[in-house]
């Protein structure tokens, strides 16, 4: 009898433990400050972990992808909950729990995730400080090409001095003086340059995908801006127009050799910018399927919808269709829309990616946190308000061959190392020169 009772007790204990991480059939509003959902997290480390575990279980759009890497979320619950509970015990005993110690634990927790938009912020109850765990940073620091990419920004000075550059134009709304003049530039600013290289290659580089703010004729994103700001905005428009008009002129007179879009170090940004970059090179009023996307359609861990075509529109303004080589330059700090652009180039018969593998952050994002409560995905908590806040994409992205590049990056068609020593000593850019070689020779 005692033996049977022991077995029943053990079974009950097992069921009780398992039920702690049982998937819920209710859609909880983790994207908002729901007092009931966050109550335990407000009081304990274990509460923070359990909130994070359950919310990620319901909201994360890449669990099947993580499974391919051997990431077991149930095993993570069993491994990490005791570590967070131990912190609660130490806090109750009056022991010190430093931010550095909590940082190390959170890094261990998030390190396996491959989503490269993800940022997790937990409150250290002992110090009342917010601790940020960033799996993207943990991953990128381990890349061998990170050290040469981190301080690099495209510079054509060497080629300009050699007389190989013409019609050079540049603009920037992200200087300290510009942001001081107009604080909105902190969000809407960008730097870019355009020119012709070697009498036939139209070159464009820019720091982030914010072109839509400046080039969209149907919306005014600077309604209260003074004339000085509007004049600075016009320099951005003029620099892009310089690139676009050069392409049109050279295409029409038969001197266009190719196009280079330099996205090394570009941090990404607005999806509608597609039409002003790749969309300005494909047929007018057309569209291009660049891959697929997929959303969650239920609260279960693997409740995902079907793969849907990811189709982007071209530029509607009259323009030539470019059949000459189109090269996108990338490095490990080409992020998000930079990677979407690189992936788009790969779908074109005349498109190539040159440089190094990109960052690995392609999941779709939305700007309205209130939407998360009914799309089964997205952020957890409210930044600065809840003890746990996690920034997440709303959907997963895939290439035309239905492959995910999340946490890995888009591979170049032609891999080229950046010779930092040569660039520092002379200004010569090995990756740019390889792109020019491809355009010239097709090899």
């Amino acid at each position: 009898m005692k033996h049977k009772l022991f077995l029943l007790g053990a079974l009950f204990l097992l069921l009780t433990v398992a039920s702690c991480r049982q998937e819920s059939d209710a859609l909880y509003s983790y994207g908002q400050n729901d007092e009931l959902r966050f109550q335990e997290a407000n009081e304990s480390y274990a509460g923070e972990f359990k909130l994070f575990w359950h919310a990620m279980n319901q909201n994360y759009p890449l669990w099947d992808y993580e499974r391919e890497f051997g990431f077991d979320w149930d095993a993570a619950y069993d491994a990490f909950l005791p570590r967070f509970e131990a912190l609660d015990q130490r806090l109750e005993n009056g022991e010190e729990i430093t931010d550095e110690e909590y940082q190390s634990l959170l890094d261990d927790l998030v390190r396996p995730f491959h989503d490269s938009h993800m940022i997790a912020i937990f409150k250290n109850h002992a110090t009342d400080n917010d601790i940020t765990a960033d799996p993207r940073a943990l991953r990128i620091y381990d890349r061998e090409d990170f050290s040469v990419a981190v301080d690099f920004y495209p510079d054509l000075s060497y080629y300009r001095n050699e007389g190989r550059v013409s019609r050079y134009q540049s603009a920037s709304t992200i200087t300290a003086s510009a942001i001081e003049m107009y604080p909105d530039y902190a969000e809407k600013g960008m730097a870019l340059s355009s020119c012709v290289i070697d009498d036939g290659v139209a070159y464009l580089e820019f720091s982030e995908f914010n072109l839509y703010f400046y080039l969209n004729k149907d919306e005014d994103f600077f309604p209260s801006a003074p004339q000085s700001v509007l004049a600075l905005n016009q320099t951005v428009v003029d620099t892009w127009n310089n690139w676009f008009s050069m392409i049109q002129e050279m295409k029409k007179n038969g001197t266009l050799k190719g196009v280079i879009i330099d996205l090394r170090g570009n941090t990404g940004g607005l999806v509608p910018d597609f039409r002003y970059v790749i969309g300005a090179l494909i047929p007018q009023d057309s569209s291009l399927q660049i891959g697929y996307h997929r959303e969650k359609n239920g609260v279960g861990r693997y409740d995902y919808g079907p793969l849907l075509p990811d189709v982007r529109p071209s530029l509607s303004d009259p323009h030539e269709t470019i059949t000459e080589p189109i090269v996108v330059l990338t490095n490990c700090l080409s992020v998000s829309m930079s990677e979407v652009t690189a992936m788009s180039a790969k779908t074109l018969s005349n498109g190539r990616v040159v440089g190094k593998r990109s960052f690995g952050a392609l999941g779709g994002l939305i700007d309205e946190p209130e939407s998360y409560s009914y799309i089964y995905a997205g952020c957890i908590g409210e930044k600065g308000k809840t003890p746990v806040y996690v920034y997440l994409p709303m959907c997963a992205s895939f290439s035309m061959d239905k492959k995910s590049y999340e946490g890995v990056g888009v591979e170049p068609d032609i891999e080229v190392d950046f010779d930092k020593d040569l660039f520092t000593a002379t200004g010569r850019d090995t990756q740019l020169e390889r792109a020019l070689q491809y355009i010239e020779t097709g090899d």
Side-chain angles (χ1 to χ4, degrees):
M1 183 67 178
K2 289 183 179 179
H3 183 63
K4 290 181 179 180
L5 288 174
F6 174 79
L7 289 176
L8 288 172
L11 179 60
F12 176 77
L13 178 62
L14 179 63
L15 291 173
T16 302
V17 172
S19 68
C20 292
R21 50 182 170 86
Q22 184 178 2
E23 293 185 11
S24 170
D25 59 358
L27 176 60
Y28 292 113
S29 181
Y30 288 111
Q32 300 175 24
N33 188 2
D34 185 319
E35 291 185 5
L36 182 62
R37 302 306 302 168
F38 286 85
Q39 182 176 359
E40 187 179 359
N42 278 315
E43 299 169 355
S44 76
Y45 293 104
E48 289 186 335
F49 170 74
K50 285 186 280 188
L51 173 81
F52 176 72
W53 192 93
H54 285 287
M56 290 294 291
N57 196 64
Q58 178 173 293
N59 285 260
Y60 191 52
L62 287 168
W63 281 123
D64 54 345
Y65 183 59
E66 299 290 8
R67 185 170 54 189
E68 294 177 15
F69 290 93
F71 187 12
D72 186 337
W73 193 225
D74 291 318
Y77 186 97
D78 297 334
F80 279 95
L81 180 58
R83 297 175 66 179
F84 283 83
E85 289 175 332
L87 292 184
D88 286 328
Q89 186 61 55
R90 287 174 52 193
L91 185 64
E92 187 176 331
N93 294 339
E95 297 180 34
E96 181 182 24
I97 301 169
T98 66
D99 291 340
E100 291 76 17
E101 179 184 0
Y102 201 35
Q103 178 79 68
S104 179
L105 174 58
L106 295 177
D107 286 348
D108 288 345
L109 175 63
V110 304
R111 193 183 303 276
F113 285 99
H114 283 81
D115 170 50
S116 289
H117 282 113
M118 177 183 177
I119 298 177
I121 303 175
F122 286 61
K123 177 174 287 187
N124 184 352
H125 290 288
T127 65
D128 208 34
N129 292 329
D130 287 336
I131 309 301
T132 299
D134 188 345
R136 310 168 306 170
L138 297 172
R139 185 164 46 248
I140 199 68
Y141 291 156
D142 290 337
R143 284 189 51 169
E144 61 182 13
D145 53 337
F146 174 74
S147 61
V148 298
V150 66
D151 295 322
F152 168 76
Y153 192 78
D155 185 350
L156 299 180
S157 297
Y158 170 81
Y159 305 95
R160 295 177 70 184
N161 293 336
E162 290 285 302
R164 296 174 60 182
V165 172
S166 60
R167 294 186 63 172
Y168 180 84
Q169 196 162 330
S170 66
S172 177
T173 56
I174 55 174
T175 61
S177 58
I179 294 174
E180 183 178 357
M181 175 176 67
Y182 193 63
D184 279 5
Y185 281 143
E187 177 187 355
K188 301 175 181 178
M190 64 184 303
L192 69 165
S193 65
S194 60
C195 66
V196 173
I197 304 176
D198 292 343
D199 298 322
V201 179
Y203 173 88
L204 174 70
E205 64 86 12
F206 50 108
S207 61
E208 46 228 307
F209 282 78
N210 279 339
L211 288 165
Y212 185 66
F213 290 136
Y214 303 87
L215 299 177
N216 183 33
K217 302 181 180 71
D218 299 326
E219 293 189 50
D220 183 5
F221 294 101
F222 305 90
S224 60
Q227 188 58 42
S228 57
V229 167
L230 297 179
L232 188 57
N233 294 351
Q234 188 61 43
T235 65
V236 174
V237 176
D238 292 344
T239 301
W240 180 87
N241 279 334
N242 183 52
W243 175 73
F244 181 70
S245 62
M246 289 185 302
I247 293 173
Q248 306 309 303
E249 293 168 15
M250 290 189 291
K251 178 65 176 178
K252 289 175 181 177
N253 64 30
T255 61
L256 182 66
K257 298 177 182 177
V259 176
I260 293 177
I261 303 166
D262 192 343
L263 300 180
R264 293 173 294 173
N266 186 301
T267 57
L270 302 173
V271 171
D273 273 18
F274 175 88
R275 71 188 65 176
Y276 303 115
V277 187
I278 296 295
L281 307 175
I282 60 177
Q284 175 189 348
D285 289 325
S286 67
S287 60
L288 179 69
Q289 183 179 349
I290 66 170
Y292 298 87
H293 69 274
R294 185 197 66 191
E295 299 178 357
K296 284 194 101 259
N297 65 355
V299 297
R301 186 183 302 173
Y302 301 109
D303 288 346
Y304 298 123
L307 291 185
L308 301 174
D310 190 348
V311 179
R312 307 294 171 95
S314 71
L315 185 68
S316 59
D317 295 1
H319 64 273
E320 299 288 327
T321 300
I322 304 309
T323 55
E324 290 74 13
I326 298 169
V327 175
V328 175
L329 280 170
T330 62
N331 63 11
C332 69
L333 295 179
S334 300
V335 185
S336 198
M337 262 304 289
S338 297
E339 302 176 272
V340 171
T341 304
M343 195 166 67
S344 303
K346 283 177 168 285
T347 69
L348 303 174
S349 60
N350 58 327
R352 297 293 184 274
V353 178
V354 174
K356 299 293 285 185
R357 179 166 50 93
S358 65
F359 188 82
L362 291 101
L365 303 167
I366 57 175
D367 295 327
E368 303 84 18
E370 62 273 11
S371 302
Y372 292 130
S373 60
Y374 58 83
I375 62 172
Y376 303 96
C379 73
I380 298 165
E382 292 185 81
K383 190 174 183 180
K385 295 183 179 180
T386 53
V388 176
Y389 169 76
V390 187
Y391 182 64
L392 286 170
M394 59 161 293
C395 67
S397 296
F398 302 85
S399 62
M400 286 297 292
D401 59 359
K402 300 180 181 178
K403 177 181 177 181
S404 176
Y405 293 109
E406 198 67 32
V408 177
V410 178
E411 293 282 355
D413 299 297
I414 303 173
E415 184 171 8
V416 186
D417 290 330
F418 178 71
D419 190 330
K420 187 174 184 178
D421 292 337
L422 180 65
F423 182 78
T424 302
T426 67
R428 288 185 57 190
D429 184 335
T430 50
Q431 292 173 332
L432 174 63
E433 291 186 4
R434 185 64 179 89
L436 292 167
Q437 177 189 330
Y438 170 75
I439 289 174
E440 186 68 33
T441 67
D443 182 25

